[in-house]
Amino acid sequence: KQWYQRRVAITAGIFKDDKIAQFIIGPAGSGKTLLLLGKVIEIYKRKQSSKVKFLIVTGTFELTELSQTLGKAGLKTCASHFLVRNQALELQINKDFIKAFHDTESCDYDTFILHHHSLTDPSFWPMIKRTNDLSKDVLSHLMDSRFNLFIDDFHNALDCVLSDLKSTKILKGYSRSLVRLLINAMKKRFETQKVSINTPYFWLVYDHGQMTLRKKKKVPTATLR
């Protein structure tokens, strides 16, 4: 009971501490995902006049449920994938996502949900840009100031990058460069001095204990919640 009360107090403290950048580490079941979603909703309701939209990077298969949860709070969402329940769970790309994601000013979405598997999926970066050039692809927009960026279960994202047996050498190099840029982008947010209504948030949730780094077995790295 004391552990639970202490955990609730810590979570409440992080939620109320309205820092632009947060690097949250915690074990499975500690409420990290709920904290992240709660903060997204709180910021949305508090800063509806802000032009900054939300980008959530997640490893969950339950993308529809995630969209529904945010929808109940009034956010309009667009997810990168659909979940197809056949004999095995399968993620299928939402073709409308990429178009909307590149033209956020024209679309009416408040929130974009990007699955971890996009980090090693060439569909999310153009054929002519399959190099280390991060200038005009979908994933490079993770660091774009148009978005409040919330990355959930970052350990799963690292698994996708480091353990994906199907990745080419170029794609792995690209993905690892992306991870490095994400960390550098968070550092810059930590160093942000002037904060205004349009200053974007960057929260990252991580649990080193859940990393697998599987090299031989093809085991899905996305989290089923």
Side-chain angles (χ1 to χ4, degrees), residues 138-159:
V138 171
L139 300 182
S140 67
H141 290 304
L142 293 177
M143 284 74 72
D144 198 303
S145 60
R146 293 174 297 165
F147 300 107
N148 294 300
L149 178 58
F150 289 81
I151 303 180
D152 193 21
D153 289 341
F154 190 58
H155 48 275
N156 277 347
L158 291 177
D159 271 343

PDB file of all heavy atoms in Angstrom, residues 138-159:
ATOM      1  N   VAL A 138       8.958  11.408 -43.502  1.00  0.00           N
ATOM      2  CA  VAL A 138       7.989  11.450 -42.404  1.00  0.00           C
ATOM      3  C   VAL A 138       8.669  11.475 -41.049  1.00  0.00           C
ATOM      4  O   VAL A 138       8.354  12.285 -40.178  1.00  0.00           O
ATOM      5  CB  VAL A 138       7.030  10.240 -42.484  1.00  0.00           C
ATOM      6  CG1 VAL A 138       6.167  10.165 -41.232  1.00  0.00           C
ATOM      7  CG2 VAL A 138       6.143  10.355 -43.718  1.00  0.00           C
ATOM      8  N   LEU A 139       9.628  10.598 -40.853  1.00  0.00           N
ATOM      9  CA  LEU A 139      10.208  10.430 -39.525  1.00  0.00           C
ATOM     10  C   LEU A 139      11.002  11.648 -39.078  1.00  0.00           C
ATOM     11  O   LEU A 139      11.106  11.916 -37.881  1.00  0.00           O
ATOM     12  CB  LEU A 139      11.091   9.183 -39.496  1.00  0.00           C
ATOM     13  CG  LEU A 139      10.372   7.872 -39.826  1.00  0.00           C
ATOM     14  CD1 LEU A 139      11.334   6.699 -39.717  1.00  0.00           C
ATOM     15  CD2 LEU A 139       9.175   7.651 -38.914  1.00  0.00           C
ATOM     16  N   SER A 140      11.573  12.403 -40.013  1.00  0.00           N
ATOM     17  CA  SER A 140      12.344  13.581 -39.618  1.00  0.00           C
ATOM     18  C   SER A 140      11.461  14.631 -38.959  1.00  0.00           C
ATOM     19  O   SER A 140      11.941  15.476 -38.210  1.00  0.00           O
ATOM     20  CB  SER A 140      13.050  14.191 -40.828  1.00  0.00           C
ATOM     21  OG  SER A 140      12.117  14.719 -41.739  1.00  0.00           O
ATOM     22  N   HIS A 141      10.168  14.575 -39.217  1.00  0.00           N
ATOM     23  CA  HIS A 141       9.252  15.542 -38.636  1.00  0.00           C
ATOM     24  C   HIS A 141       8.998  15.295 -37.146  1.00  0.00           C
ATOM     25  O   HIS A 141       8.292  16.068 -36.497  1.00  0.00           O
ATOM     26  CB  HIS A 141       7.919  15.538 -39.392  1.00  0.00           C
ATOM     27  CG  HIS A 141       8.022  16.104 -40.778  1.00  0.00           C
ATOM     28  ND1 HIS A 141       8.514  17.367 -41.026  1.00  0.00           N
ATOM     29  CD2 HIS A 141       7.715  15.576 -41.980  1.00  0.00           C
ATOM     30  CE1 HIS A 141       8.495  17.592 -42.338  1.00  0.00           C
ATOM     31  NE2 HIS A 141       8.028  16.517 -42.928  1.00  0.00           N
ATOM     32  N   LEU A 142       9.561  14.230 -36.618  1.00  0.00           N
ATOM     33  CA  LEU A 142       9.439  13.989 -35.178  1.00  0.00           C
ATOM     34  C   LEU A 142      10.018  15.161 -34.387  1.00  0.00           C
ATOM     35  O   LEU A 142       9.553  15.473 -33.288  1.00  0.00           O
ATOM     36  CB  LEU A 142      10.170  12.699 -34.782  1.00  0.00           C
ATOM     37  CG  LEU A 142       9.598  11.390 -35.296  1.00  0.00           C
ATOM     38  CD1 LEU A 142      10.478  10.228 -34.867  1.00  0.00           C
ATOM     39  CD2 LEU A 142       8.183  11.184 -34.786  1.00  0.00           C
ATOM     40  N   MET A 143      11.052  15.786 -34.923  1.00  0.00           N
ATOM     41  CA  MET A 143      11.696  16.892 -34.232  1.00  0.00           C
ATOM     42  C   MET A 143      11.129  18.244 -34.640  1.00  0.00           C
ATOM     43  O   MET A 143      11.647  19.286 -34.267  1.00  0.00           O
ATOM     44  CB  MET A 143      13.205  16.870 -34.499  1.00  0.00           C
ATOM     45  CG  MET A 143      13.952  15.809 -33.718  1.00  0.00           C
ATOM     46  SD  MET A 143      13.692  14.134 -34.326  1.00  0.00           S
ATOM     47  CE  MET A 143      14.617  14.170 -35.860  1.00  0.00           C
ATOM     48  N   ASP A 144      10.061  18.246 -35.418  1.00  0.00           N
ATOM     49  CA  ASP A 144       9.487  19.478 -35.935  1.00  0.00           C
ATOM     50  C   ASP A 144       8.801  20.260 -34.811  1.00  0.00           C
ATOM     51  O   ASP A 144       8.127  19.691 -33.968  1.00  0.00           O
ATOM     52  CB  ASP A 144       8.461  19.146 -37.030  1.00  0.00           C
ATOM     53  CG  ASP A 144       8.142  20.345 -37.895  1.00  0.00           C
ATOM     54  OD1 ASP A 144       7.723  21.370 -37.332  1.00  0.00           O
ATOM     55  OD2 ASP A 144       8.295  20.252 -39.123  1.00  0.00           O
ATOM     56  N   SER A 145       8.972  21.570 -34.828  1.00  0.00           N
ATOM     57  CA  SER A 145       8.384  22.408 -33.781  1.00  0.00           C
ATOM     58  C   SER A 145       6.880  22.547 -33.913  1.00  0.00           C
ATOM     59  O   SER A 145       6.239  23.187 -33.088  1.00  0.00           O
ATOM     60  CB  SER A 145       9.029  23.800 -33.811  1.00  0.00           C
ATOM     61  OG  SER A 145       8.823  24.421 -35.071  1.00  0.00           O
ATOM     62  N   ARG A 146       6.300  21.929 -34.959  1.00  0.00           N
ATOM     63  CA  ARG A 146       4.835  21.964 -35.088  1.00  0.00           C
ATOM     64  C   ARG A 146       4.154  21.040 -34.083  1.00  0.00           C
ATOM     65  O   ARG A 146       2.946  21.096 -33.904  1.00  0.00           O
ATOM     66  CB  ARG A 146       4.423  21.519 -36.485  1.00  0.00           C
ATOM     67  CG  ARG A 146       4.820  22.440 -37.607  1.00  0.00           C
ATOM     68  CD  ARG A 146       4.474  21.817 -38.933  1.00  0.00           C
ATOM     69  NE  ARG A 146       5.218  20.579 -39.148  1.00  0.00           N
ATOM     70  CZ  ARG A 146       4.902  19.681 -40.080  1.00  0.00           C
ATOM     71  NH1 ARG A 146       3.839  19.856 -40.833  1.00  0.00           N
ATOM     72  NH2 ARG A 146       5.640  18.604 -40.226  1.00  0.00           N
ATOM     73  N   PHE A 147       4.944  20.166 -33.437  1.00  0.00           N
ATOM     74  CA  PHE A 147       4.336  19.127 -32.618  1.00  0.00           C
ATOM     75  C   PHE A 147       4.791  19.156 -31.163  1.00  0.00           C
ATOM     76  O   PHE A 147       5.959  19.385 -30.860  1.00  0.00           O
ATOM     77  CB  PHE A 147       4.683  17.739 -33.178  1.00  0.00           C
ATOM     78  CG  PHE A 147       4.214  17.508 -34.581  1.00  0.00           C
ATOM     79  CD1 PHE A 147       5.117  17.481 -35.631  1.00  0.00           C
ATOM     80  CD2 PHE A 147       2.868  17.323 -34.853  1.00  0.00           C
ATOM     81  CE1 PHE A 147       4.695  17.274 -36.931  1.00  0.00           C
ATOM     82  CE2 PHE A 147       2.439  17.109 -36.148  1.00  0.00           C
ATOM     83  CZ  PHE A 147       3.343  17.084 -37.193  1.00  0.00           C
ATOM     84  N   ASN A 148       3.832  18.894 -30.270  1.00  0.00           N
ATOM     85  CA  ASN A 148       4.149  18.451 -28.922  1.00  0.00           C
ATOM     86  C   ASN A 148       4.440  16.957 -29.052  1.00  0.00           C
ATOM     87  O   ASN A 148       3.555  16.181 -29.422  1.00  0.00           O
ATOM     88  CB  ASN A 148       2.970  18.674 -27.979  1.00  0.00           C
ATOM     89  CG  ASN A 148       2.653  20.138 -27.772  1.00  0.00           C
ATOM     90  OD1 ASN A 148       3.484  20.908 -27.306  1.00  0.00           O
ATOM     91  ND2 ASN A 148       1.442  20.546 -28.146  1.00  0.00           N
ATOM     92  N   LEU A 149       5.664  16.550 -28.780  1.00  0.00           N
ATOM     93  CA  LEU A 149       6.080  15.171 -29.031  1.00  0.00           C
ATOM     94  C   LEU A 149       6.061  14.356 -27.741  1.00  0.00           C
ATOM     95  O   LEU A 149       6.722  14.703 -26.761  1.00  0.00           O
ATOM     96  CB  LEU A 149       7.479  15.165 -29.638  1.00  0.00           C
ATOM     97  CG  LEU A 149       8.107  13.800 -29.923  1.00  0.00           C
ATOM     98  CD1 LEU A 149       7.231  12.987 -30.874  1.00  0.00           C
ATOM     99  CD2 LEU A 149       9.508  13.981 -30.519  1.00  0.00           C
ATOM    100  N   PHE A 150       5.303  13.252 -27.762  1.00  0.00           N
ATOM    101  CA  PHE A 150       5.218  12.343 -26.622  1.00  0.00           C
ATOM    102  C   PHE A 150       5.567  10.934 -27.108  1.00  0.00           C
ATOM    103  O   PHE A 150       4.836  10.351 -27.909  1.00  0.00           O
ATOM    104  CB  PHE A 150       3.809  12.360 -26.021  1.00  0.00           C
ATOM    105  CG  PHE A 150       3.481  13.642 -25.304  1.00  0.00           C
ATOM    106  CD1 PHE A 150       3.076  14.762 -26.013  1.00  0.00           C
ATOM    107  CD2 PHE A 150       3.585  13.729 -23.923  1.00  0.00           C
ATOM    108  CE1 PHE A 150       2.785  15.955 -25.364  1.00  0.00           C
ATOM    109  CE2 PHE A 150       3.293  14.908 -23.258  1.00  0.00           C
ATOM    110  CZ  PHE A 150       2.894  16.025 -23.977  1.00  0.00           C
ATOM    111  N   ILE A 151       6.687  10.402 -26.641  1.00  0.00           N
ATOM    112  CA  ILE A 151       7.144   9.080 -27.062  1.00  0.00           C
ATOM    113  C   ILE A 151       6.936   8.092 -25.919  1.00  0.00           C
ATOM    114  O   ILE A 151       7.527   8.228 -24.848  1.00  0.00           O
ATOM    115  CB  ILE A 151       8.625   9.100 -27.469  1.00  0.00           C
ATOM    116  CG1 ILE A 151       8.856  10.124 -28.584  1.00  0.00           C
ATOM    117  CG2 ILE A 151       9.069   7.711 -27.920  1.00  0.00           C
ATOM    118  CD1 ILE A 151      10.293  10.224 -29.046  1.00  0.00           C
ATOM    119  N   ASP A 152       6.086   7.100 -26.146  1.00  0.00           N
ATOM    120  CA  ASP A 152       5.787   6.098 -25.129  1.00  0.00           C
ATOM    121  C   ASP A 152       6.603   4.825 -25.397  1.00  0.00           C
ATOM    122  O   ASP A 152       6.828   4.458 -26.547  1.00  0.00           O
ATOM    123  CB  ASP A 152       4.291   5.769 -25.151  1.00  0.00           C
ATOM    124  CG  ASP A 152       3.865   4.974 -23.932  1.00  0.00           C
ATOM    125  OD1 ASP A 152       4.578   5.014 -22.905  1.00  0.00           O
ATOM    126  OD2 ASP A 152       2.805   4.307 -24.000  1.00  0.00           O
ATOM    127  N   ASP A 153       7.028   4.166 -24.326  1.00  0.00           N
ATOM    128  CA  ASP A 153       7.761   2.894 -24.434  1.00  0.00           C
ATOM    129  C   ASP A 153       8.920   2.989 -25.424  1.00  0.00           C
ATOM    130  O   ASP A 153       9.036   2.213 -26.373  1.00  0.00           O
ATOM    131  CB  ASP A 153       6.809   1.765 -24.848  1.00  0.00           C
ATOM    132  CG  ASP A 153       5.851   1.392 -23.726  1.00  0.00           C
ATOM    133  OD1 ASP A 153       6.153   1.720 -22.566  1.00  0.00           O
ATOM    134  OD2 ASP A 153       4.815   0.769 -24.015  1.00  0.00           O
ATOM    135  N   PHE A 154       9.789   3.944 -25.190  1.00  0.00           N
ATOM    136  CA  PHE A 154      10.912   4.173 -26.108  1.00  0.00           C
ATOM    137  C   PHE A 154      11.826   2.955 -26.198  1.00  0.00           C
ATOM    138  O   PHE A 154      12.520   2.757 -27.196  1.00  0.00           O
ATOM    139  CB  PHE A 154      11.709   5.395 -25.652  1.00  0.00           C
ATOM    140  CG  PHE A 154      12.726   5.866 -26.641  1.00  0.00           C
ATOM    141  CD1 PHE A 154      12.350   6.236 -27.921  1.00  0.00           C
ATOM    142  CD2 PHE A 154      14.066   5.939 -26.305  1.00  0.00           C
ATOM    143  CE1 PHE A 154      13.292   6.674 -28.846  1.00  0.00           C
ATOM    144  CE2 PHE A 154      15.013   6.373 -27.218  1.00  0.00           C
ATOM    145  CZ  PHE A 154      14.625   6.740 -28.490  1.00  0.00           C
ATOM    146  N   HIS A 155      11.801   2.096 -25.177  1.00  0.00           N
ATOM    147  CA  HIS A 155      12.598   0.868 -25.221  1.00  0.00           C
ATOM    148  C   HIS A 155      12.151  -0.031 -26.369  1.00  0.00           C
ATOM    149  O   HIS A 155      12.959  -0.706 -26.989  1.00  0.00           O
ATOM    150  CB  HIS A 155      12.490   0.112 -23.887  1.00  0.00           C
ATOM    151  CG  HIS A 155      11.088  -0.041 -23.407  1.00  0.00           C
ATOM    152  ND1 HIS A 155      10.433   0.930 -22.676  1.00  0.00           N
ATOM    153  CD2 HIS A 155      10.197  -1.047 -23.557  1.00  0.00           C
ATOM    154  CE1 HIS A 155       9.210   0.524 -22.391  1.00  0.00           C
ATOM    155  NE2 HIS A 155       9.033  -0.671 -22.920  1.00  0.00           N
ATOM    156  N   ASN A 156      10.839  -0.024 -26.662  1.00  0.00           N
ATOM    157  CA  ASN A 156      10.345  -0.810 -27.789  1.00  0.00           C
ATOM    158  C   ASN A 156      10.815  -0.228 -29.120  1.00  0.00           C
ATOM    159  O   ASN A 156      11.089  -0.951 -30.077  1.00  0.00           O
ATOM    160  CB  ASN A 156       8.815  -0.868 -27.770  1.00  0.00           C
ATOM    161  CG  ASN A 156       8.291  -1.941 -26.845  1.00  0.00           C
ATOM    162  OD1 ASN A 156       9.041  -2.802 -26.403  1.00  0.00           O
ATOM    163  ND2 ASN A 156       7.014  -1.888 -26.519  1.00  0.00           N
ATOM    164  N   ALA A 157      10.874   1.107 -29.180  1.00  0.00           N
ATOM    165  CA  ALA A 157      11.371   1.748 -30.395  1.00  0.00           C
ATOM    166  C   ALA A 157      12.826   1.369 -30.648  1.00  0.00           C
ATOM    167  O   ALA A 157      13.224   1.081 -31.782  1.00  0.00           O
ATOM    168  CB  ALA A 157      11.235   3.266 -30.285  1.00  0.00           C
ATOM    169  N   LEU A 158      13.622   1.320 -29.594  1.00  0.00           N
ATOM    170  CA  LEU A 158      15.013   0.905 -29.738  1.00  0.00           C
ATOM    171  C   LEU A 158      15.109  -0.550 -30.182  1.00  0.00           C
ATOM    172  O   LEU A 158      15.975  -0.918 -30.978  1.00  0.00           O
ATOM    173  CB  LEU A 158      15.757   1.092 -28.411  1.00  0.00           C
ATOM    174  CG  LEU A 158      15.999   2.540 -27.971  1.00  0.00           C
ATOM    175  CD1 LEU A 158      16.683   2.568 -26.618  1.00  0.00           C
ATOM    176  CD2 LEU A 158      16.826   3.292 -28.994  1.00  0.00           C
ATOM    177  N   ASP A 159      14.213  -1.389 -29.660  1.00  0.00           N
ATOM    178  CA  ASP A 159      14.176  -2.785 -30.103  1.00  0.00           C
ATOM    179  C   ASP A 159      13.923  -2.872 -31.602  1.00  0.00           C
ATOM    180  O   ASP A 159      14.537  -3.671 -32.314  1.00  0.00           O
ATOM    181  CB  ASP A 159      13.083  -3.556 -29.356  1.00  0.00           C
ATOM    182  CG  ASP A 159      13.579  -4.178 -28.064  1.00  0.00           C
ATOM    183  OD1 ASP A 159      14.810  -4.288 -27.899  1.00  0.00           O
ATOM    184  OD2 ASP A 159      12.758  -4.560 -27.235  1.00  0.00           O
TER     185      ASP A 159
END
